[in-house]
Amino acid sequence: MTITKSPQLRFLRFPKSPTLSQQLMLIGLTMTLFFVFLALFAPLLQLLGLVQNPIDSLSNPIQEPPSLQHWFGTSREGYDVFSRTLFGAQAALQVVLLATAISMFVGVPLGMLSGYAGGRLDKALLFIMDSIYTLPGLLLSITLAFIVGRGILNAALAISIAYVPQYYRVVRNHTVSVKTEVFIEAAQAMGANTWQVLSRYLFFNVIQSVPVLFTLNAADAILILGGLGFLGLGLPRETPEWGRDLQQALQALPVGVWWTALFPGLAMTIMVVGLSLFGEGLNEYINPRLRKDIRK
């Protein structure tokens, strides 16, 4: 019988010859870090006078095309599209990171406890999570957004509920397979309680797919947040938001005002593609078996 080694972060082992998927992962990481940079330094750029106030509309001309003064043009409300797009990245990252973090911190412990304890608790949690998982994520988020209202925390809660079952199912299945290993039985024989087994011996063995889920869910959460903003259920009206800006831009498209829809939509697309490339490459990088199958 082969004895499994103590928990290790296998995804920290870098391959000698990166594959195409891993090269795309670096491209996706660069794209993602670019938006993180924009989100972090947008307020500083505004203080330096390089970017306008995203909620200032009285001093700007209406529906002006892109120019040296307004790089992305202005909207029909007089907002500077460039500043709205920049600060929209900040709002998107805040909501998305909070939503995925909430779902991860709820789903991972429940999955570990359910897989390790088994019995009625496991069956009850499986039933609840499967019931949530069968509902469309966007529809569930829209329903919750109606209930909790607008705001960064409320939008994050409305989005996070759809991702909890994904973390739960992945971690629970890994826990069921790992808890029968020899090092778990040895820990139990030495008198380790449930908390010690879960935190010291199971945790690092069952979370290796969690970073992949985190990035892929973040990409999907950006689209859901855009959908909520498009329907008027996302963030408050004074907060720059890509979804709401796209909804406002639809009314100006028939008269040839294309820039108000192009730049927020392009920013959302690039950010989603970057996170998706990063998540797919990270999946191959973390999973050694998948890496071997691709190289054959």
Side-chain angles (χ1 to χ4, degrees):
M1 181 180 297
T2 303
I3 299 178
T4 305
K5 296 181 180 180
S6 59
Q8 295 179 355
L9 293 176
R10 298 178 182 176
F11 53 84
L12 294 178
R13 299 175 183 176
F14 290 89
K16 296 181 180 179
S17 55
T19 63
L20 176 61
S21 179
Q22 291 165 351
Q23 294 174 3
L24 293 176
M25 178 186 70
L26 295 178
I27 296 176
L29 178 60
T30 303
M31 297 165 65
T32 303
L33 291 178
F34 172 72
F35 281 97
V36 173
F37 173 82
L38 293 181
L40 292 177
F41 290 95
L44 178 60
L45 295 176
Q46 180 185 346
L47 289 176
L48 294 176
L50 301 176
V51 177
Q52 278 193 352
N53 189 336
I55 61 175
D56 185 10
S57 62
L58 299 178
S59 59
N60 297 326
I62 296 175
Q63 293 183 347
E64 180 179 338
S67 61
L68 293 177
Q69 185 178 3
H70 302 284
W71 292 357
F72 291 176
T74 60
S75 64
R76 69 186 185 94
E77 296 90 357
Y79 293 121
D80 182 71
V81 179
F82 178 71
S83 62
R84 299 278 299 182
T85 304
L86 236 62
F87 280 87
Q90 185 182 61
L93 283 175
Q94 287 177 347
V95 175
V96 166
L97 290 178
L98 187 57
T100 48
I102 291 173
S103 57
M104 180 180 65
F105 286 127
V106 174
V108 170
L110 287 180
M112 292 178 59
L113 182 61
S114 177
Y116 182 75
R120 294 182 179 180
L121 176 63
D122 184 39
K123 293 180 180 179
L125 288 175
L126 270 176
F127 176 78
I128 295 173
M129 294 300 172
D130 287 344
S131 300
I132 298 175
Y133 192 74
T134 56
L135 299 174
L138 179 59
L139 180 60
L140 184 60
S141 298
I142 291 174
T143 304
L144 290 178
F146 267 117
I147 298 174
V148 299
R150 297 179 179 179
I152 292 179
L153 179 59
N154 293 341
L157 290 174
I159 295 173
S160 64
I161 188 65
Y163 302 127
V164 172
Q166 298 182 28
Y167 291 100
Y168 168 82
R169 289 162 67 97
V170 169
V171 173
R172 184 255 177 197
N173 292 339
H174 285 180
T175 302
V176 169
S177 62
V178 172
K179 73 176 183 179
T180 58
E181 297 289 347
V182 174
F183 70 93
I184 298 295
E185 297 178 355
Q188 293 171 340
M190 293 174 61
N193 56 34
T194 301
W195 168 250
Q196 292 174 332
V197 172
L198 292 177
S199 60
R200 296 182 182 180
Y201 303 98
L202 274 174
F203 182 71
F204 288 107
N205 278 283
V206 301
I207 64 165
Q208 295 183 10
S209 296
V210 170
V212 179
L213 271 180
F214 188 90
T215 54
L216 296 179
N217 286 345
D220 185 65
I222 291 175
L223 297 177
I224 294 182
L225 177 63
L228 293 178
F230 191 86
L231 297 173
L233 300 173
L235 305 181
R237 292 186 178 274
E238 63 274 9
T239 304
E241 184 184 3
W242 290 336
R244 183 176 181 275
D245 289 347
L246 287 175
Q247 191 273 335
Q248 296 292 326
L250 287 183
Q251 303 178 16
L253 279 177
V255 295
V257 180
W258 50 268
W259 53 88
T260 55
L262 174 64
F263 295 109
L266 188 62
M268 183 185 299
T269 302
I270 294 175
M271 192 171 183
V272 170
V273 170
L275 284 169
S276 299
L277 290 176
F278 180 56
E280 292 294 340
L282 191 63
N283 185 29
E284 178 194 334
Y285 183 61
I286 291 177
N287 192 340
R289 294 181 180 178
L290 179 61
R291 185 162 61 243
K292 292 178 181 179
D293 293 340
I294 293 177
R295 291 181 177 178
K296 287 182 180 180

